[in-house]
Amino acid sequence: MDLVSKGPTKSLYAKVMHANLASIMPQVLGVWCEEAGHDVTFVCFTGLENLVEELPEDVDLLFIGAFSQGAQLAYSISEMFRRRGVITCVGGPHARCYPQDCQLYFDYVLGFTDRTVLEGVLEDCQAHRPLGQHRSAETQPLALPGVRARWKYIEPTLEKAPLFQMVPMLGSLGCPYTCAFCIDSVVDYQPLDFDEMRDDLRFLREKMKKPVVGWHDPNFGVRFDDYLGTIEEAVPPGSIQFAAESSLSLLAEPRLKRLAKNGFMAMLPGVESWYTLGNKSKARNTFGAEKVRQVAEHSNLITKYIPYLQTNFVLGLDTDHGPEPFELTKRFIDEAPGAFPGYSLLTSFGEAAPLNLGYQEEGRVLGFPFHFLNNHHAMNLKPKNYEWIEFYDHVIDLTKYSFSKRAIWRRLKANRGGIPRIMNVVRAISSEGKGRIQYYTSVRDRLASDSGFRDYFEGESTELPQFYVDRVRNDLGPLWDYLPEGALEHDPYAYLKSMGSTTAEPAVAVAN
Ligand code: SF4
């Protein structure tokens, strides 16, 4: 089971995009399980299905792949199946970031998962309770089943996407860059098999009229010539469209020309901050207004060749203080009108990155339920240089500016192509623009009016505000009854404790 969504949703964005955001590893596990002689039922939950009806009845072993925002849903599903005598196993980003918590609710918790790790679980296949077994390979797998082998899972998932269908592909794992906040910075860079990639691209042209591929590589464009060479060899230029995440520093003009010729229609580079993390952009040694100018110029160059550009920013970084970072981002919106700004509130995902140990040593991590850890529903780090209300005021102001009628109109005019234009409008008027403004405003108003709410944010209380409890209950629907006792809470200092640290005690009270 692949949990793309953390609960039922009717949002326009979910209807258009969720099926296109399916993960690759649950499909890989399906293929490996079948190759090991097992019958597999594959469910991708996008939030649009009736989950209880989708769940198969006759199961011996249930694998769930989830991001942290899907944890409470995953825990409830696991509990429901365990009551029926099913063995359960969790993998994916949440299991990698919070293995200790997952062990409370699953029989197996998977870190790096290769065929050997999977076969070990299949052979053992027994209840491990109250504490599940944590199993992990030393490294990421060296090879993964390609699109041809995964097609039986890809095809029914994509049938749920009405506007366009994006096939998930992977050309590499890990990243040679060392951005301290990133889960991939500690994974060695490793390209996957180019022959298989070539075969998969040709296969897709047989299966789809106008295929669109979403590269799931953490950083597409490392070994640029090898990848583009393989694509050029495999299929005629432009016969497949592509979307990828890549560092700005890898997107010089000659490469952009080549990407455009080969059908790249969307790029999603990270800017993150105007003051730091410059190793990913060309503007390595520039900061503040000068970096805005350079990145805007580069963004405008990209949109000359690539119709859809999303630039990603992290809000609330320790290097930020005062209104300036937000004002600089507004200036960027003005100077690079075609770029869609993707905002994330600074979040510390357990063991995702070594940087998180520092946050835990400082005692700044809050125990917000995982359900809200999706980069915008909650920020689980107390900002270093902002009071909460001040911070939310800035975030609301920036979000309003970014998705104002003026900004949407300028973006529409600067974009090319039907789908990029539609996507940017859908995102701006759906959950990401209007929805977030409403949500942030309701959080900000509660911070101002409800002392219990504010105390939780300040780490002075561990009592989760009812506002959040109600949202989880609402999202889980009938599965709320299966949420194990205590499963709304977790130990936000588990990573530090797992390192055997005795020197640092959290400075704030935390839920345990
Ligand atoms: S460049 Fe991107 S993928 Fe690579 S370490 Fe930095 S954030 Fe992670």
Side-chain angles (χ1 to χ4, degrees):
M1 173 172 286
D2 176 11
L3 298 185
V4 173
S5 183
K6 62 179 177 172
T9 171
K10 292 193 168 92
S11 88
L12 190 54
Y13 177 73
K15 283 182 188 146
V16 172
M17 274 310 286
H18 274 189
N20 292 319
L21 301 178
S23 295
I24 290 178
M25 276 312 279
Q27 300 170 0
V28 165
L29 257 62
V31 172
W32 282 344
C33 284
E34 285 204 334
E35 286 176 0
H38 300 279
D39 295 328
V40 174
T41 303
F42 179 83
V43 176
C44 175
F45 177 59
T46 65
L48 306 171
E49 309 83 352
N50 181 331
L51 184 54
V52 176
E53 279 175 14
E54 291 268 317
L55 296 172
E57 287 287 327
D58 182 21
V59 180
D60 300 311
L61 175 55
L62 171 72
F63 290 94
I64 299 182
F67 288 85
S68 284
Q69 64 160 352
Q72 268 76 33
L73 179 60
Y75 294 175
S76 300
I77 296 170
S78 176
E79 175 64 16
M80 185 168 82
F81 276 83
R82 280 163 72 141
R83 286 188 200 171
R84 293 185 202 159
V86 175
I87 307 300
T88 65
C89 178
V90 67
H94 182 62
R96 271 182 65 197
C97 293
Y98 296 100
Q100 297 88 354
D101 202 67
C102 289
Q103 281 176 282
L104 301 174
Y105 308 109
F106 292 87
D107 299 298
Y108 300 94
V109 178
L110 304 184
F112 289 148
T113 307
D114 59 13
R115 204 187 275 265
T116 309
V117 167
L118 176 71
E119 284 171 0
V121 172
L122 293 172
E123 273 163 30
D124 189 59
C125 195
Q126 56 179 307
H128 295 284
R129 300 168 196 172
L131 212 56
Q133 281 192 355
H134 183 221
R135 296 186 175 208
S136 182
E138 291 282 307
T139 61
Q140 295 272 32
L142 300 176
L144 293 170
V147 172
R148 189 187 283 276
R150 293 186 281 113
W151 186 248
K152 61 172 81 100
Y153 307 128
I154 294 173
E155 191 176 31
T157 303
L158 290 185
E159 279 167 8
K160 300 176 185 180
L163 183 62
F164 71 98
Q165 301 180 334
M166 193 156 67
V167 178
M169 275 187 76
L170 196 57
S172 63
L173 296 162
C175 181
Y177 287 79
T178 52
C179 310
F181 62 93
C182 174
I183 193 166
D184 289 299
S185 64
V186 289
V187 179
D188 287 342
Y189 177 76
Q190 166 205 323
L192 293 171
D193 184 15
F194 289 108
D195 289 337
E196 181 154 54
M197 190 193 300
R198 203 177 291 115
D199 177 61
D200 279 343
L201 293 172
R202 288 179 182 151
F203 170 79
L204 273 181
R205 287 198 66 225
E206 290 163 21
K207 288 288 176 191
M208 301 175 89
K209 262 198 200 140
K210 191 89 182 134
V212 181
V213 166
W215 291 105
H216 284 216
D217 302 46
N219 194 351
F220 188 90
V222 178
R223 294 197 52 180
F224 184 89
D225 290 334
D226 291 332
Y227 282 101
L228 268 288
T230 304
I231 292 170
E232 284 159 355
E233 250 179 78
V235 292
S239 59
I240 298 183
Q241 292 188 311
F242 299 99
E245 290 194 38
S246 184
S247 301
L248 280 175
S249 57
L250 298 174
L251 298 175
E253 188 161 14
R255 288 183 169 186
L256 290 169
K257 282 185 186 161
R258 197 165 166 198
L259 288 169
K261 188 168 164 224
N262 282 288
F264 278 74
M265 57 141 195
M267 296 304 289
L268 293 82
V271 177
E272 326 300 1
S273 156
W274 301 119
Y275 302 102
T276 184
L277 308 172
N279 56 341
K280 294 166 61 182
S281 73
K282 267 177 36 186
R284 269 174 213 190
N285 300 314
T286 50
F287 301 96
E290 178 54 21
K291 185 171 173 186
V292 173
R293 195 192 59 72
Q294 283 192 25
V295 174
E297 201 174 279
H298 196 171
S299 298
N300 291 334
L301 179 70
I302 294 172
T303 46
K304 225 171 98 184
Y305 295 99
I306 311 283
Y308 191 90
L309 172 69
Q310 174 179 320
T311 43
N312 294 324
F313 300 90
V314 182
L315 307 180
L317 286 162
D318 286 2
T319 43
D320 291 352
H321 53 86
E324 190 178 80
F326 297 92
E327 294 304 318
L328 289 174
T329 307
K330 283 157 89 173
R331 188 185 297 183
F332 174 78
I333 304 281
D334 290 343
E335 291 184 16
F340 185 95
Y343 298 125
S344 296
L345 304 186
L346 179 63
T347 306
S348 173
F349 287 98
E351 301 189 10
L355 185 71
N356 294 346
L357 275 178
Y359 294 135
Q360 296 191 11
E361 277 164 3
E362 290 169 17
R364 289 169 56 199
V365 189
L366 301 170
F368 272 106
F370 298 126
H371 193 74
F372 301 99
L373 300 191
N374 59 357
N375 293 317
H376 61 274
H377 276 142
M379 173 161 159
N380 70 346
L381 272 180
K382 286 179 71 180
K384 192 166 186 178
N385 302 315
Y386 295 94
E387 295 300 323
W388 279 114
I389 292 179
E390 177 198 12
F391 177 71
Y392 269 95
D393 279 341
H394 286 307
V395 172
I396 292 165
D397 178 56
L398 176 62
T399 313
K400 282 183 175 166
Y401 194 89
S402 308
F403 303 112
S404 63
K405 281 186 188 149
R406 172 180 175 269
I408 294 173
W409 175 242
R410 292 187 78 227
R411 208 168 288 134
L412 195 70
K413 279 200 305 184
N415 290 154
R416 286 174 292 117
I419 289 180
R421 285 182 154 151
I422 293 172
M423 277 307 299
N424 275 341
V425 174
V426 165
R427 291 180 73 179
I429 62 170
S430 179
S431 48
E432 204 161 342
K434 204 169 148 218
R436 284 196 198 174
I437 293 166
Q438 281 168 356
Y439 180 81
Y440 292 146
T441 305
S442 69
V443 170
R444 189 258 177 235
D445 290 348
R446 281 177 174 80
L447 281 167
S449 63
D450 180 340
S451 59
F453 197 89
R454 200 167 52 243
D455 288 347
Y456 187 81
F457 276 67
E458 295 297 344
E460 287 163 9
S461 162
T462 56
E463 194 181 332
L464 183 67
Q466 196 59 34
F467 172 79
Y468 291 105
V469 179
D470 291 344
R471 288 185 79 96
V472 183
R473 183 188 285 124
N474 186 48
D475 285 349
L476 294 190
L479 286 165
W480 169 261
D481 294 336
Y482 290 95
L483 187 68
E485 205 181 325
L488 264 189
E489 293 145 19
H490 67 277
D491 179 358
Y493 293 87
Y495 185 21
L496 189 61
K497 290 175 188 167
S498 76
M499 304 298 279
S501 170
T502 50
T503 52
E505 282 297 320
V508 289
V510 293
N512 234 317

